[in-house]
Amino acid sequence: MANHAESVGPWKTIPFREIGKAAVLEGVTAAEAEIYCLEKGYVPSRYVRNMGTIGIDGQIRLLSSSVAVIGCGGLGGLVCDLLARAGVGRMVMVDSDIFDETNLNRQLLATESSLGRPKARAAAERVGAVNSAVEAEGRQCRFDSFTAGSILDGVDLAVDCLDSLSSRRELFAECASRGVPIVSGAIAGFWGQVGVVMPGDDTFMGYLAGESDTGVETETGNPPFTPALVAAMQCAQAVKLLTGKGQILTEQLLWIDIADDEFTRLRLR
C-alpha cells in the first residue's frame, strides 16, 4: 500500500479505498487495516483532517473503540453521522421508533422517502455509507433492562440521545452497573444541555428525578438547529473521552441558550 502513499502537509496518506482492497486480500477488517496503516505512520485519507486535532494515536483509539448511540432521532441521527466520520470503529444504534412527517424538520436521517422506516436501520445504513470501515449495527428495539446486556456488551461509551426521563433513568442505571461512561444531551426549542457521566458519578440523579416523563419540549418543539448544535457538542465530548484529548464535562452540565447566545456551565456538586 505504501506505493499509493501521498503527502498532505506533514502526513503520509493512503487512499481509504486502497486500504479496503488490501483488507479483503489479507482477510482482516477495514478498521484493522486502517489501524495497521496508522501504526506504520500512514494516515488513511479519510482521516487526514483529524490529525492536527487528535493525532495518529487518537485516531487509533477511535478505531479501536465501541460506542452505543441510544436514540436515533434528532440528536442520535446526527451523532451517528459525526462519529462515523470521526472514525469510531464499532457503533451500536438503538431505537424502536419509525420516521414520521414531524421528524422532517430536524432529523438528519428523516427524508420523504424514509417515512415509515425504522430509525435504527436507517442510522446503520447511513454509517455504512459514510464510513465502510465502521462496524455498524442497528437495533430496532427499546433500551431497557432486558436488552441492555446485549447492547452494552463490549461498549466503551454510551451516548444518550433519548427523549424521556424514564428511558434515561434506565440507561443511567444499566451503564452504572457495567461501568460504562455516558455522554448525555437534551434539547427543547432554543435550549440544550450536554454533560458527561463517568462510572461512580451520581451527580445527575437530581436531574433525572421528577414525575413528569417529558419536559418543556412538548411546548417549544425542536427547530433544526438546536439538535445540530447539541449533537456536535456530544460528539466532541465522546471523541475527547475516547482519545484522552482535552477536558470533558464531568460533574457539570453545559446549558445552552441559543435565544440569547449564552453558554453556561452548571456545577452539579
Side-chain angles (χ1 to χ4, degrees), residues 94-116:
V94 182
D95 202 306
S96 62
D97 201 4
I98 62 174
F99 292 110
D100 65 44
E101 294 179 12
T102 66
N103 303 147
L104 290 170
N105 82 309
R106 70 196 182 283
Q107 297 191 15
L108 176 69
L109 304 178
T111 64
E112 293 180 5
S113 62
S114 71
L115 298 180

Side-chain angles (χ1 to χ4, degrees), residues 151-164:
I151 291 170
L152 296 177
D153 183 35
V155 161
D156 299 301
L157 171 70
V159 185
D160 164 25
C161 300
L162 293 162
D163 59 3
S164 73

Side-chain angles (χ1 to χ4, degrees), residues 1-2 4 12-38 42-47 63 132-133:
M1 286 186 291
H4 298 281
K12 293 179 291 185
T13 71
I14 298 179
F16 74 90
R17 288 191 176 88
E18 296 300 326
I19 299 174
K21 292 175 184 177
V24 173
L25 292 174
E26 296 296 327
V28 299
T29 67
E32 289 171 335
E34 290 186 343
I35 290 171
Y36 176 83
C37 288
L38 287 160
Y42 294 95
V43 179
S45 56
R46 68 162 74 248
Y47 305 127
L63 284 164
S132 58

Side-chain angles (χ1 to χ4, degrees), residues 61-62 65 67 156-158 180-183 195-199 234-250:
R61 290 183 185 181
L62 284 184
S65 298
V67 173
D156 299 301
L157 171 70
V180 177
I182 303 170
V183 176
V196 176
V197 182
M198 299 300 291
Q234 284 183 281
C235 287
Q237 295 298 310
V239 168
K240 288 191 290 184
L241 195 154
L242 293 169
T243 62
K245 311 288 184 180
Q247 300 295 315
I248 56 175
L249 290 166
T250 54

Side-chain angles (χ1 to χ4, degrees), residues 134-172:
V134 178
E135 180 184 344
E137 181 180 350
R139 299 279 192 94
Q140 188 186 1
C141 65
R142 284 183 55 83
F143 181 93
D144 54 29
S145 58
F146 179 75
T147 60
S150 62
I151 291 170
L152 296 177
D153 183 35
V155 161
D156 299 301
L157 171 70
V159 185
D160 164 25
C161 300
L162 293 162
D163 59 3
S164 73
L165 286 180
S166 59
S167 297
R168 284 196 171 92
R169 282 191 286 265
E170 284 191 298
L171 174 61
F172 278 47

